[in-house]
Amino acid sequence: MLKVLTHPNPTLRKKSREVADVFSGGIKKLIPEMIETMKNSDGAGLAAPQVGENIRLIVASHKDQTLVIFNPKIIKKSILKEWGEEGCLSVPNTFGEVKRCKKITIQFLNKKGLKEKLKAEGLLARVIQHEIDHLNGILFIDKAKKIKKL
Ligand code: CO
């Protein structure tokens, strides 16, 4: 299990760089560690900068699958947005309402290094948008309203 960095750690505020080689030894090891950390912490998603790696890699739980997403780009998004409650492993015990696109389509590299497209809506779309924000140094508390601390 990896240590999850918490706000205001400066690593969380850096823009992460693209991954050129999804097969590099470091990344091969990082993926299962990130998945384990996400699951053990009851997170719906985790971005590499949260565990101290400023690279564009996110993992997300979706139904019984775990998505491994490199270099995600939102190539289509709905005009329709919706508010929903979010929290973050890097901002413990804090929740707030964030407005996100209801549907998105992303293009990314999968763990085999192949280009893939994914349409997401509802919770998965929210999680992916939240995690992509992490890759750009943005935390949900930057956008949230009605922030509450437990
Ligand atoms: Co987060």
Side-chain angles (χ1 to χ4, degrees), residues 34-43 61 64-66:
M34 279 180 63
I35 292 171
E36 186 202 15
T37 304
M38 172 179 69
K39 290 188 172 168
N40 288 348
S41 323
D42 272 324
S61 284
D64 53 353
Q65 289 190 74
T66 305

Side-chain angles (χ1 to χ4, degrees), residues 4-45:
V4 177
L5 304 181
T6 53
H7 173 66
N9 189 299
T11 297
L12 294 170
R13 293 306 191 173
K14 287 183 191 153
K15 190 173 159 72
S16 291
R17 63 182 181 278
E18 296 229 323
V19 177
D21 177 13
V22 307
F23 298 110
S24 85
I27 282 167
K28 237 177 161 172
K29 189 162 172 276
L30 183 62
I31 293 170
E33 289 176 339
M34 279 180 63
I35 292 171
E36 186 202 15
T37 304
M38 172 179 69
K39 290 188 172 168
N40 288 348
S41 323
D42 272 324

Side-chain angles (χ1 to χ4, degrees), residues 45-47 50 86-91 127 130-131 134 138-140:
L46 187 70
Q50 292 182 273
E86 295 186 14
C88 179
L89 298 175
S90 294
V91 192
V127 169
H130 175 118
E131 301 311 332
H134 275 299
I138 297 164
L139 297 176
F140 85 98

Side-chain angles (χ1 to χ4, degrees), residues 40-66:
N40 288 348
S41 323
D42 272 324
L46 187 70
Q50 292 182 273
V51 292
E53 299 292 335
N54 278 120
I55 57 170
R56 302 185 84 79
L57 163 61
I58 65 182
V59 294
S61 284
H62 179 52
K63 296 176 183 167
D64 53 353
Q65 289 190 74
T66 305

